[in-house]
Amino acid sequence: MRIPFELAETLALVVDEGTLDAAARRLHVTPSAVSQRIKALEEQLGRLVLVRSKPVRPTEAGMSVIRLARQLALLEHDALAELGADDGETALTSVPLAVNADSLATWFLEPLARLAERHPVVFDLHRDDQDFTAGLLESGTVMGAVTSRAAPVAGCRASVLGAMRYEAVATPSYVERWLGGDRRAALADAPLVDLDRRDDLQNEWLAQQGVDPAHPPRHYVPASNDFATSVRLGLGWAMLPRFQSHDALDRGELVLLGGAPVDVALHWQQWNLRSPLLDAIAETIVAEGRRVLTPA
């Protein structure tokens, strides 16, 4: 049994784009031609590789084929580089990576910019909570990920980055309005800000203060920079990394609420595939993480 690269590449593109029509536009063919390629791949493998939902999603077999397509594209890039092909002669290699929102908003883009200066590469970033980015590695959606998971995903290798340190902060006017008197009792009624409904950092800090996390009212602001802005505007208190709070703390626009900080350990995981490009990505990201994050 063989898996033709063109068919595997088409499947990966369909999943990336979400629909057969969008993939057809990228490939400059008709949607019918894309559908025929997927059908031919399924006939060769003897199993379904794609669920034709909106957006489409790969089956378990499809995930294996997508992982193969991405690995082959990476190996092709490395081979062309070894052959001395000029950057202008080769297409930019797309490297999908997963990263948590706070890393993306603070330290993660600078190493990518340095990599893009040195290598013919573009990055396809997938943002998710650090507890869930490892799943994107397992599915073959991404080649590398910033994750809270220390144990290597099957077929991957892991490196320690450091810890993102979060501290509870609010504006002075917010503290005056909501947190006077008995601090513990006040925290049960004071509005806080969550990034989304999977964000448990505020709950962890509340539990440390002896407050039931089920009590306080919550704002949900699902973007890291906007989340930090909402705290600086006095919408509520929240746990912010020092990257996002230090200037406002220095100016007195925010104040610390006390209590122990919450450290979230981060790791870099990527496919265990020997590739000069993937190795360069790992080296640059891990070095930056260890430079700016709290030692784990």
Side-chain angles (χ1 to χ4, degrees), residues 20-21 24 29-36:
L20 272 66
D21 288 351
V29 299
T30 66
S32 176
V34 173
S35 180
Q36 289 171 11

Side-chain angles (χ1 to χ4, degrees), residues 30-46:
T30 66
S32 176
V34 173
S35 180
Q36 289 171 11
R37 290 183 190 181
I38 300 301
K39 183 177 179 181
L41 179 60
E42 291 177 332
E43 288 176 349
Q44 289 202 34
L45 297 178

